[in-house]
Amino acid sequence: MKVLVIGNGGREHALAWKLKESQDVDEVYVAKGNGGTESFCENLDIDPKNIDELLKFAEDKKIDLTVVGPEDPLCMGIVDAFNKKGLKIFGPNKECARFEKSKEFTKKFLEKYSIPTAKYESFENYEDAIKGISNFGYPLVVKADGLCLGKGVTICENKEEAENALSKIFKDKIFGEEGSTVVVEEFLRGEEASVLCLVSNNKLFPLERAKDHKQIYDGDKGSNTGGVGTYSPVEASKELEKNLEKIYRQIENGLDSEKLSYSGILFIGFMIEKDKPKVLEFNVRFGDPETEVLMPRLDCDLFEILNRTIDGKLKKEDIKWKKETCLTVIMCSGGYPESYEKGKEITGLNDIDKDIIVFHNGTKKTDAIYTNGGRVLSVTALGNDLKEAREKAYKNVEKIKFDKAYFRKDIGIK
Ligand code: AMP
Ligand code: GLY
């Protein structure tokens, strides 16, 4: 069988790596891939947003399964386009991708089905928003409605900061059309956790939990990033499990009631306080770097479970996990998530221990492997417990070098 993976990051490297393991999979193509996928897949020079070209490639090559990594092609309707041609593709259709495309759409859904979430109001212009924020205390959260590469959320400590955030979105139009609606939200306290669910015919199958580390500096300080380290599994109390289960059932009920037809991954971001989860956001794709720790722990055939998900036949028993803990430390280009340089040669990749997996987030291979993004490498280790996984990962991080490499030293230290 032939598989096409769409995307360029560590998430796509991890998906391609796990798919390649399947007995049924002969060839994996990645569009565009990176320096890591190149070693065992064929990288294609097709942009992940070029749906026409991707469709043409999949038809010509008779691809058996396409797996979409990033949200952009999903929000643009790649799944609808492939389905129209009878091509099998993993991911939600355009209508369901609105759960990531529009924060207002998600908030309305959560409210309608009484799913716990932060109180909110949405606004279409600066003047209304300025009036509206008087209904909130501080801190409050200002969110551009659309896709903003993870930069659309501002936590505002006072009125001046809120006015400034609203002005940047409505007047300076820093997010263009993606900021034509703004959601203002109550600030939630607690601990963040994300759950990725396979969704088969509107039924949710939660995968084991992974803990992301979003801030760039140790101790969760500094700017928000796409995520610079993760581990899995994450323990949960009985009470929390019960409350999460209730939310999954409410989401399923909402999807059915809205006559949506969801298939693919639903990534639910939660804020949890005293075992009470509230939904922060939905994404309609695998998380990055969550996928880098979930794939090594998955103890079943990914190709098979993705096909079953699409066919609406997935069962809970199909999804199996290794007991071990997996931890990944992301090596970044110095300066990320603000400006950083690319094109630094990476050395030491051949010296790492045999049981370590290095997923590439942003690299390029020419005569050697060079950095090509803010997040560069996910150094990933399995261990009998969190401590062992962490020690193994960090021991190997030390062996990999590139100019201005930066990584957090406290991934997995609670
Ligand atoms: P989002 O893109 O909605 O996940 O927001 C990005 C990050 O902003 C989240 O991961 C949280 O750390 C933070 N955040 C978003 N909404 C809230 C909220 N209502 N209360 C507290 N923090 C929030
Ligand atoms: N790691 C967070 C995300 O994938 O959005």
Side-chain angles (χ1 to χ4, degrees):
M1 298 273 187
K2 294 179 198 165
V3 177
L4 168 62
V5 176
I6 297 176
N8 310 330
R11 164 181 58 202
E12 289 77 17
H13 185 170
L15 291 169
W17 171 82
K18 189 67 191 171
L19 285 162
K20 185 81 186 198
E21 210 180 79
S22 166
Q23 290 203 335
D24 294 323
V25 174
D26 305 302
E27 262 174 281
V28 181
Y29 301 89
V30 190
K32 296 183 156 188
N34 58 39
T37 56
E38 192 178 297
S39 63
F40 65 103
C41 306
E42 187 176 326
N43 283 354
L44 307 174
D45 190 19
I46 309 177
D47 190 273
K49 288 196 254 185
N50 192 340
I51 294 177
D52 290 343
E53 280 283 310
L54 292 165
L55 192 60
K56 186 170 175 304
F57 176 84
E59 276 191 300
D60 289 350
K61 274 276 176 204
K62 301 197 169 50
I63 296 292
D64 298 286
L65 174 68
T66 298
V67 182
V68 188
E71 60 275 20
D72 283 312
L74 294 167
C75 294
M76 290 163 69
I78 191 169
V79 170
D80 311 64
F82 272 55
N83 282 338
K84 225 188 231 168
K85 297 273 183 190
L87 289 163
K88 210 161 194 183
I89 182 162
F90 179 84
N93 57 28
K94 189 173 179 180
E95 195 177 22
C96 293
R98 277 189 295 168
F99 283 119
E100 182 154 359
K101 173 81 177 143
S102 167
K103 296 200 189 300
E104 188 190 30
F105 178 81
T106 295
K107 292 299 281 190
K108 280 188 175 153
F109 176 89
L110 295 170
E111 191 172 53
K112 184 163 175 190
Y113 294 98
S114 308
I115 298 166
T117 189
K119 257 197 347 220
Y120 84 103
E121 281 184 54
S122 54
F123 304 100
E124 250 119 67
N125 61 63
Y126 180 76
E127 290 70 30
D128 288 350
I130 292 293
K131 270 187 231 141
I133 53 174
S134 59
N135 299 330
F136 290 82
Y138 289 91
L140 61 74
V141 188
V142 170
K143 299 184 174 186
D145 181 60
L147 298 179
C148 305
L149 301 168
K151 295 186 170 30
V153 175
T154 314
I155 293 164
C156 308
E157 298 293 339
N158 51 50
K159 192 161 180 241
E160 195 188 336
E161 285 180 19
E163 284 176 358
N164 191 24
L166 290 167
S167 171
K168 279 189 187 157
I169 301 175
F170 281 124
K171 294 187 175 166
D172 305 340
K173 299 196 190 301
I174 54 168
F175 302 119
E177 275 302 296
E178 301 297 320
S180 55
T181 299
V182 165
V183 169
V184 174
E185 241 178 53
E186 141 201 38
F187 178 80
L188 298 177
R189 290 174 205 282
E191 173 132 14
E192 276 189 77
S194 38
V195 182
L196 278 69
C197 301
L198 282 166
V199 189
S200 181
N201 195 14
N202 286 353
K203 250 189 99 35
L204 269 58
F205 296 86
L207 304 182
E208 292 220 333
R209 265 193 297 289
K211 162 85 184 151
D212 196 3
H213 295 66
K214 284 202 167 150
Q215 289 83 7
I216 188 69
Y217 298 130
D218 286 14
D220 292 339
K221 303 238 163 46
S223 314
N224 253 333
T225 69
V228 287
T230 23
Y231 62 83
S232 170
V234 186
E235 314 254 300
S237 69
K238 285 253 155 28
E239 179 67 16
L240 175 58
E241 289 290 358
K242 198 181 85 195
N243 292 331
L244 290 171
E245 279 298 327
K246 183 173 173 205
I247 292 179
Y248 303 145
R249 300 293 89 81
Q250 287 175 300
I251 295 172
E252 289 171 346
N253 171 49
L255 293 173
D256 284 340
S257 302
E258 294 298 307
K259 301 207 166 22
L260 293 167
S261 181
Y262 203 112
S263 171
I265 280 277
L266 182 68
F267 169 135
I268 313 173
F270 289 106
M271 188 68 88
I272 301 170
E273 193 180 27
K274 297 196 185 108
D275 288 335
K276 293 205 170 48
K278 288 188 178 174
V279 174
L280 276 184
E281 62 163 347
F282 284 161
N283 295 314
V284 299
R285 48 164 177 83
F286 284 99
D288 193 347
E290 288 85 347
T291 308
E292 287 92 310
V293 290
L294 291 174
M295 291 304 117
R297 291 195 59 235
L298 196 62
D299 203 12
C300 55
D301 185 325
L302 180 64
F303 180 74
E304 196 176 307
I305 61 173
L306 296 187
N307 273 299
R308 280 179 178 271
T309 302
I310 297 170
D311 297 339
K313 289 182 184 154
L314 189 68
K315 293 202 279 318
K316 202 174 163 190
E317 312 81 81
D318 296 332
I319 312 170
K320 298 190 186 75
W321 299 97
K322 292 180 191 156
K323 285 222 160 50
E324 292 158 284
T325 295
C326 190
L327 180 139
T328 194
V329 177
I330 298 216
M331 299 184 73
C332 308
S333 299
Y336 172 79
E338 277 85 39
S339 63
Y340 55 83
E341 294 167 27
K342 295 185 192 176
K344 310 285 186 192
E345 184 174 347
I346 303 170
T347 58
L349 287 170
N350 295 327
D351 305 327
I352 55 163
D353 295 334
K354 272 204 283 302
D355 57 344
I356 296 292
I357 315 162
V358 180
F359 294 120
H360 292 217
N361 300 83
T363 69
K364 198 171 181 171
K365 188 172 176 218
T366 50
D367 56 322
I369 300 210
Y370 293 91
T371 67
N372 192 37
R375 295 189 291 183
V376 178
L377 298 167
S378 295
V379 182
T380 308
L382 284 163
N384 288 318
D385 55 25
L386 188 58
K387 183 168 177 281
E388 188 182 293
R390 185 175 65 235
E391 284 170 2
K392 282 167 80 175
Y394 276 110
K395 178 178 161 223
N396 285 274
V397 164
E398 296 296 342
K399 299 182 186 179
I400 302 171
K401 310 274 180 218
F402 56 89
D403 185 32
K404 300 198 177 75
Y406 169 81
F407 54 90
R408 265 180 73 157
K409 314 278 186 299
D410 66 342
I411 304 303
I413 298 177
K414 288 182 224 173

